[in-house]
Amino acid sequence: MTSEIPSPASPRPEPRQLARVTLAQAAADAVREMIMLGELPVGSRIRQRELAAQLRVSRTPMREALSKLASEGLIRTDPSGQAIVCRPSVEELEELYEIRQLLEGQAAAHAAEHRRPEDVERLRRIVASLDHAPSADAWVRLNAEFHTALYRLAQRAELVRLIDSLRIRTEVYVRILVETGSSDEAQQDHRDIVAALDAGDADKIRSLVHKHLRHTRDRVAAVIRSQGGS
């Protein structure tokens, strides 16, 4: 009697499907950067046909790219079906940063347990680069690099994956912080975090990460409210 080989749960994608997925991801990355750089301003309507032509992709991967960005909270669809760049809100800011405090504090504590001298030196170099970042764009990228490098030391892949997804959704708030000249306090937080990491003090670094995220949340919330947001 021969045993049957079970069929896979889902069929393997055809090459064309793989190519389309790759295009959709590339388009999502490009549009996300345009939003972060302010090339697609907050509240502006996204003209899918023109954007697809600009990025040289067809409408299908463009539509899939916008769907991905909607899941990240960067765009929304109005009642007419028009995609719009989301306006930052204090309510969303507070909820996302509350979750980030829980996850990132835990990741930082694990990082303190696994750090090596070379890891600490790498983070110090990133902090030094932040001091001399030539633009808001560079500061935002280096800040993301700092936090990514820190949390990956935790050796908790699923935890880091969750943190990465939240960081993408909150990058717009980091940009607000930098563009309003409020990054000096964040830099001091970075230095304190590296010192706690170097000492291997899990409780201290957890507390510092919580404080760091609260600082960002409170300063950005004040900016949004001053601009008439809620």
Side-chain angles (χ1 to χ4, degrees), residues 18-31 57 60-66 68-69:
L18 285 172
R20 192 186 72 193
V21 169
T22 302
L23 276 176
Q25 182 61 57
D29 292 343
V31 177
V57 298
T60 297
M62 188 75 255
R63 186 165 53 248
E64 292 171 354
L66 294 181
K68 176 174 176 56
L69 295 176

Side-chain angles (χ1 to χ4, degrees), residues 54-187:
Q54 180 181 345
L55 297 177
R56 298 181 181 180
V57 298
S58 66
R59 295 178 68 181
T60 297
M62 188 75 255
R63 186 165 53 248
E64 292 171 354
L66 294 181
S67 177
K68 176 174 176 56
L69 295 176
S71 72
E72 296 175 4
L74 290 176
I75 67 172
R76 63 176 177 84
T77 304
D78 68 10
S80 69
Q82 177 70 56
I84 297 174
V85 179
C86 284
R87 185 174 299 279
S89 75
V90 173
E91 182 180 4
E92 179 189 65
L93 166 74
E94 291 179 341
E95 181 176 3
L96 291 175
Y97 271 77
E98 180 181 6
I99 300 169
R100 283 188 58 183
Q101 282 186 51
L102 294 171
L103 298 182
E104 295 183 32
Q106 188 64 24
H110 286 306
E113 297 168 358
H114 297 289
R115 91 283 184 222
R116 300 167 300 173
E118 57 265 37
D119 300 322
V120 176
E121 286 307 309
R122 180 189 175 192
L123 287 165
R124 284 199 177 109
R125 287 195 299 271
I126 297 172
V127 172
S129 297
L130 277 162
D131 281 331
H132 306 288
S135 65
D137 298 336
W139 202 99
V140 170
R141 283 194 295 270
L142 285 165
N143 179 69
E145 183 181 344
F146 174 87
H147 287 279
T148 298
L150 172 63
Y151 301 138
R152 285 184 177 163
L153 300 179
Q155 299 181 21
R156 297 291 192 279
E158 289 301 323
L159 179 58
V160 172
R161 193 171 293 117
L162 287 170
I163 290 171
D164 285 346
S165 68
L166 285 169
R167 289 193 62 77
I168 289 171
R169 290 190 60 182
T170 56
E171 197 165 284
V172 64
Y173 298 113
V174 177
R175 179 169 293 278
I176 290 172
L177 179 79
V178 180
E179 290 180 345
T180 54
S182 302
S183 59
D184 288 347
E185 189 173 20
Q187 267 293 77

